[in-house]
Amino acid sequence: MNLMQDAPNVVSEDGLRTLLAERHSADVVCRVTPTRTGAQWSGVWTVHCVSPDGETRRLLVTARNNMAARKFKTINGLSSFLAGLGVSIISIPMFEGKVASHTLDDAS
């Protein structure tokens, strides 16, 4: 299945990597306000790929779960994922409904 063709509102991790290299951004959306347990923050965040003109938004999905939204439930997991994409400055929204946008540096 070609995710970009069959479901244009979603993107796989590989597709997200490709689009970030083409100057798209990765928006992190807080779905559930996180709570702190010891040294760990837990909540729910999703990632959306946004075109440079802001007209197109694609939800990051998991390939293994039949295109279900990929949800990050800890700040550690989310920040590790973003760093793995090549994002050098990570901003994480801490309240439901808030959004933080990320792009790749020219140095990456």
Side-chain angles (χ1 to χ4, degrees):
M1 171 192 316
N2 180 340
L3 288 178
M4 299 298 282
Q5 188 175 54
D6 295 340
N9 295 341
V10 299
V11 65
S12 65
E13 183 177 333
D14 287 340
L16 177 60
R17 287 179 191 281
T18 299
L19 292 171
L20 284 174
E22 296 173 2
R23 305 185 53 83
H24 286 65
S25 64
D27 283 6
V28 174
V29 179
C30 181
R31 298 295 180 184
V32 175
T33 298
T35 57
R36 185 175 178 175
T37 306
Q40 181 69 34
W41 285 91
S42 300
V44 177
W45 295 269
T46 56
V47 176
H48 301 256
C49 183
V50 181
S51 62
D53 62 7
E55 293 292 317
T56 304
R57 293 182 62 82
R58 295 182 176 104
L59 175 65
L60 177 65
V61 295
T62 61
R64 62 181 166 212
N65 284 343
N66 198 18
M67 296 194 329
R70 181 156 180 194
K71 296 176 184 174
F72 297 88
K73 296 185 179 181
T74 66
I75 286 179
N76 287 346
L78 177 58
S79 60
S80 293
F81 175 77
L82 292 171
L85 292 175
V87 175
S88 62
I89 298 174
I90 297 170
S91 178
I92 299 175
M94 297 295 286
F95 295 99
E96 184 177 336
K98 296 292 184 181
V99 179
S101 187
H102 301 84
T103 58
L104 297 182
D105 296 344
D106 291 339
S108 306

